[in-house]
Amino acid sequence: MLWFSIDNTKHVGVGAIGLGTGSGAVFYTLLSGWIIHYGSLETYLYTLAGFQALTSLPVVLAVYLGWLDAPPTKDEFDAWNAEAAAPPVGDAAARVPRKPVEAAARVEEKTAPSSSLRSLSEELTKPRPSASARPEAGGSLMMPMKLKNWEEALQFPILWNRIIIFTLSTFNGYCVKVLLSTTFVLIFSLGELTAAYLSAATLSFYLIGRAAVPFLFLDRKGGLPAVGLFTIAAGMATVSYGVIPSIIGTGEFAKPRFSWRLLLFCFAKAFAGLSFAAMQTLSGPLLVNDFGGANFVRLAPLLYPSAGTGGGLGPIAGILIVYAQYYRNNKTFAEAFGTFFYIAAALSFIVFSLTAYSWILLRKEERRIAALDGAKV
């Protein structure tokens, strides 16, 4: 994604990543239903382990051989900038340089201390940007300085904003993915294979959220920045979670049959999946825009564990809430699921509010920079 950021084509890289993950979600859903229906849970787990090993080995090999290298270095940027500034010669006159000069303001050199080209004295005496200055190379409007260590980031509210957002969005998303599929069986009394087919059908919206949304709308002409798309997705998730309790009602079906409740539930599940998929696939470009390329590399090990923590705790908490309501409070499964989805809607509204607030702040900073440009002219 950092490579695609160099020439403002993040939508291509993010869309390609989303296409792979979204297609994988549909494939594994169908595979799970087929194997469990015609075989057993044990057979499915062994098969899943084999697939994971086969798909992981090429990536491990590529990393080991150095094919998945680090983001571009400052020397590579300088070479691209020189190429962009040089007058066209021969066939090169018809070629548009792929690496514009402005790219250096998005992603800078590797952040490892061993790759730094500045001396210690230069680093200590370098002035930090003031409120009226532009961000440093490698920084961003929301985090204008290039960090020397991750502790410096703690002073920026945007970091805490994103930690909360990542934790709550994955907490909700992965829990809902677990519970919504079981809803077909526990509330609508569908068979496992039918539930798998319906889950795969609703995951077509998940695929749209993963691939089509970033490719068509991310930083494109007439589109929106990552924070804008993330805000809209969080709002859609809030509405989807909030209407599900009214759709599933308070009682279970005695036998499988078509109903408007089932159809509306499929649509609500589809839009909830689309929203979560969009938030997941936009998380990378969101952080690059928030922190800058160099800071993103430094802060990613701090931020992504928060997403993993939320994603791990979500399904556990959701199952405990549902079964506590069912067994201890003597509620039906529909009522128990409804309680959880009201909680999920409240948490999703927090995500929406925090993201919308950061979008407002970003727009304010963009207007400030535009005013500086106007003053200079």
Side-chain angles (χ1 to χ4, degrees):
M1 187 183 61
L2 288 172
W3 280 98
F4 279 104
S5 299
I6 296 169
D7 55 358
N8 298 321
T9 57
K10 287 197 297 292
H11 63 282
V12 178
V14 177
I17 295 171
L19 180 63
T21 53
S23 302
V26 176
F27 169 74
Y28 275 113
T29 299
L30 292 173
L31 180 69
S32 304
W34 290 331
I35 295 179
I36 293 176
H37 180 75
Y38 294 109
S40 64
L41 178 61
E42 291 79 5
T43 303
Y44 165 70
L45 292 176
Y46 284 127
T47 305
L48 180 64
F51 268 107
Q52 290 292 97
L54 290 175
T55 54
S56 300
L57 284 177
V59 179
V60 174
L61 180 62
V63 172
Y64 179 77
L65 296 177
W67 295 345
L68 301 181
D69 208 347
T73 64
K74 187 175 184 303
D75 291 338
E76 290 172 318
F77 270 119
D78 292 340
W80 292 328
N81 292 339
E83 178 186 355
V89 178
D91 294 337
R95 186 181 70 232
V96 177
R98 188 169 184 266
K99 309 297 176 185
V101 177
E102 291 81 0
R106 296 184 176 272
V107 186
E108 206 177 275
E109 69 273 11
K110 298 177 182 177
T111 58
S114 60
S115 66
S116 176
L117 301 179
R118 304 185 189 91
S119 66
L120 179 60
S121 60
E122 289 175 326
E123 188 67 35
L124 293 175
T125 58
K126 185 177 63 175
R128 295 301 182 190
S130 64
S132 62
R134 291 179 174 277
E136 295 181 8
S140 68
L141 291 176
M142 303 299 289
M143 189 174 285
M145 59 186 289
K146 182 183 174 184
L147 303 174
K148 292 182 294 184
N149 52 65
W150 65 265
E151 289 88 352
E152 287 185 329
L154 300 180
Q155 63 182 299
F156 292 95
I158 189 65
L159 174 67
W160 300 103
N161 181 299
R162 293 304 183 243
I163 288 177
I164 295 172
I165 285 174
F166 273 34
T167 304
L168 293 184
S169 62
T170 54
F171 180 96
N172 267 353
Y174 284 107
C175 181
V176 168
K177 285 183 69 176
V178 171
L179 293 181
L180 284 180
S181 297
T182 59
T183 304
F184 286 126
V185 178
L186 295 178
I187 296 179
F188 295 101
S189 300
L190 300 179
E192 292 174 344
L193 191 59
T194 304
Y197 285 136
L198 285 177
S199 295
T202 56
L203 280 175
S204 61
F205 282 71
Y206 182 86
L207 178 58
I208 293 173
R210 276 287 194 176
V213 168
F215 181 76
L216 294 175
F217 302 110
L218 178 60
D219 293 332
R220 301 287 292 271
K221 184 178 180 180
L224 291 171
V227 65
L229 293 174
F230 199 102
T231 302
I232 294 173
M236 290 177 55
T238 302
V239 174
S240 299
Y241 299 154
V243 301
I244 285 176
S246 300
I247 293 174
I248 60 179
T250 59
E252 293 87 35
F253 284 59
K255 59 182 180 179
R257 62 182 176 85
F258 172 81
S259 70
W260 289 108
R261 284 171 58 189
L262 176 60
L263 182 62
L264 290 174
F265 174 76
C266 289
F267 278 110
K269 181 181 184 300
F271 279 101
L274 185 153
S275 304
F276 176 58
M279 287 188 284
Q280 286 293 98
T281 200
L282 290 169
S283 61
L286 176 68
L287 295 182
V288 172
N289 292 347
D290 286 338
F291 305 137
N295 291 338
F296 167 75
V297 174
R298 186 177 294 280
L299 294 178
L302 180 65
L303 285 157
Y304 280 107
S306 67
T309 301
L313 293 178
I316 298 172
I319 291 173
L320 290 177
I321 291 172
V322 168
Y323 279 92
Q325 293 291 312
Y326 181 76
Y327 286 110
R328 294 185 178 180
N329 298 335
N330 295 319
K331 292 187 176 182
T332 63
F333 270 121
E335 292 172 327
F337 275 81
T339 300
F340 166 76
F341 282 110
Y342 282 132
I343 296 174
L347 296 178
S348 183
F349 181 74
I350 295 175
V351 174
F352 167 77
S353 301
L354 291 175
T355 315
Y357 179 66
S358 66
W359 191 10
I360 294 172
L361 294 180
L362 177 64
R363 294 289 297 165
K364 181 179 178 181
E365 285 297 302
E366 289 174 342
R367 288 193 293 269
R368 181 181 68 82
I369 295 297
L372 287 176
D373 292 339
K376 290 180 179 180
V377 174

